[in-house]
Amino acid sequence: MSTIHHRRRRGLVLIGALAAATLTLGACGNSSDGDSSSNVSKSNTDNDKSGKKVVIGFSAPAADHGWMGAITKAAVAQAKQYDDVTLKVAEGTNDVNLQISQVETFINDKVDAIVLLPFDGAAMTAVARKAMDAGITVINVDREFDSPFAARTTVLGDNYGMGVSAGTFVCDDAKGASGKKVAEIAGIDSLPLTQERSKGFADALKKCGLKVDNRVAAEFTVESGEKAASNLLQAAPKIDYLWNHDDDQGVGVLAAIKNADRDEFVMIGGAGSANVMRDIKSDNTVLKATVIYPSTQAADGIKLARLLVQGKSMSDLSEIEVPRQLKLAAPVVTKDNVDTYIKSAFES
């Protein structure tokens, strides 16, 4: 979710029984234990035990945003959990040509798998497909490639679901009251991810008869968040609910709110930073909730790469193959459940 993310959301076909929810990637297996009377695979608890050695290449954009830094940190930490995984980490870059060369190096090194969060999904499609053609398992993270042949599996956050979660929180909190004024501070409007978040928010609000009355867009930065929020607050003398798409830009949004001496509304954040969760826990600011956009996506990619190379599947599914796509959940964090989520929150 950096300032210039070009996320592609051209969904791959979901194979197997998979809901848009977080799935456990732990203990799993293919064996039917010789039971030919059933096509249903039986789960076991052996997947985390040491197995075939797996070399994984990892590449992601530069950590110029708290969420992106957390993505790489979590991937490295996940790989360290396995003594059968060797992780080769390329330096984070927002240079597409450099990221292409990083993947080509992984191909030349004959790694077993590549977990790739592309700076630009379209631009990285060709080299990812080259890796797949070379027999290397590619896990596409967060920003989708243009071709389903460029990756074995894709791990995504749920941008539309973020909007739905935020809108549902507003509806539930409003308890059917009409006339509530709702405001929205989006990210970069030209990006599909922003459009999907806004659509989900609007769709959820419709169900309780509310709508977005005032909306501005920012750029996922502190500075742009403060500027956009200042403009919004001047244009909207009355606000009951404010959803800000991104917790990093939310630092600027909160500064603008403080400068304007406005505290009459409930603010909902987006992404799930540790700072925001601490504010929610303290319960002494306008911030009362945030919607998670998981920074664990690449860590999940590491686990999936290991399963695929070792020929294993997922314990919580009857499907004997790892699905083609995983779309992670977008839960709402409030003071009631913040202790559950703050452990995995990212630092801004």
Side-chain angles (χ1 to χ4, degrees):
M1 292 190 324
S2 68
T3 59
I4 45 178
H5 281 187
H6 300 289
R7 293 181 180 162
R8 307 287 173 169
R9 292 291 182 257
R10 302 183 179 93
L12 299 174
V13 177
L14 179 60
I15 295 179
L18 181 66
T22 305
L23 295 174
T24 302
L25 301 178
C28 31
N30 293 329
S31 174
S32 63
D33 295 333
D35 182 5
S36 60
S37 65
S38 173
N39 290 323
V40 178
S41 62
K42 290 187 172 71
S43 301
N44 59 52
T45 58
D46 293 335
N47 270 9
D48 285 334
K49 292 182 180 179
S50 185
K52 174 184 176 181
K53 299 297 183 183
V54 181
V55 179
I56 303 173
F58 175 71
S59 176
D64 53 5
H65 185 282
W67 183 88
M68 188 60 75
I71 276 281
T72 299
K73 183 178 179 181
V76 171
Q78 186 63 67
K80 288 180 178 178
Q81 296 298 309
Y82 301 110
D83 62 8
D84 53 13
V85 170
T86 298
L87 186 66
K88 296 186 175 185
V89 182
E91 183 178 355
T93 179
N94 294 338
D95 183 333
V96 171
N97 290 326
L98 178 56
Q99 192 172 35
I100 290 172
S101 70
Q102 290 174 345
V103 175
E104 288 177 336
T105 296
F106 289 148
I107 295 171
N108 292 335
D109 289 346
K110 294 180 169 55
V111 299
D112 299 302
I114 298 172
V115 176
L116 179 60
L117 197 167
F119 177 72
D120 184 308
M124 297 300 295
T125 297
V127 73
R129 185 163 182 177
K130 179 179 178 181
M132 287 284 287
D133 290 344
I136 297 171
T137 299
V138 176
I139 308 297
N140 181 198
V141 176
D142 187 50
R143 309 173 192 175
E144 290 183 77
F145 300 136
D146 278 352
S147 169
F149 300 104
R152 166 58 178 80
T153 294
T154 301
V155 183
L156 301 171
D158 188 356
N159 286 292
Y160 179 81
M162 284 184 71
V164 170
S165 293
T168 300
F169 174 86
V170 170
C171 286
D172 290 346
D173 194 75
K175 296 180 173 63
S178 60
K180 296 294 185 180
K181 297 294 183 181
V182 181
E184 178 183 6
I185 300 178
I188 301 172
D189 258 344
S190 62
L191 299 184
L193 74 93
T194 298
Q195 297 161 17
E196 290 174 11
R197 291 179 188 183
S198 289
K199 186 177 189 307
F201 190 50
D203 287 350
L205 291 176
K206 288 177 185 176
K207 294 185 178 181
C208 63
L210 297 177
K211 63 181 178 64
V212 175
D213 299 283
N214 296 89
R215 184 184 183 280
V216 294
E219 297 176 358
F220 294 130
T221 65
V222 174
E223 296 77 14
S224 68
E226 184 170 6
K227 181 178 179 181
S230 295
N231 293 336
L232 175 72
L233 294 170
Q234 289 176 11
K238 182 180 186 299
I239 298 174
D240 293 296
Y241 296 96
L242 169 63
W243 182 40
N244 166 60
H245 284 206
D246 180 76
D247 286 340
D248 274 350
Q249 77 181 19
V251 174
V253 172
L254 287 170
I257 291 171
K258 182 178 180 180
N259 290 337
D261 195 23
R262 299 278 295 271
D263 63 0
E264 79 279 9
F265 51 82
V266 171
M267 178 175 166
I268 305 100
S273 78
N275 284 339
V276 163
M277 291 195 198
R278 285 189 281 264
D279 282 341
I280 291 170
K281 190 170 184 177
S282 70
D283 200 24
N284 61 5
T285 75
V286 296
L287 260 170
K288 302 303 179 186
T290 188
V291 184
I292 296 289
Y293 190 79
S295 59
T296 58
Q297 293 178 53
D300 288 337
I302 297 296
K303 297 194 77 168
L304 289 169
R306 177 177 176 271
L307 291 183
L308 286 163
V309 173
Q310 293 182 345
K312 299 173 182 177
S313 61
M314 297 173 64
S315 65
D316 291 341
L317 298 180
S318 296
E319 173 64 44
I320 64 172
E321 295 284 348
V322 170
R324 288 275 289 164
Q325 185 188 91
L326 299 180
K327 182 170 283 190
L328 305 183
V332 175
V333 179
T334 67
K335 65 179 180 180
D336 295 329
N337 63 3
V338 65
D339 287 336
T340 299
Y341 291 99
I342 198 168
K343 302 167 190 175
S344 61
F346 66 90
E347 295 289 346
S348 299

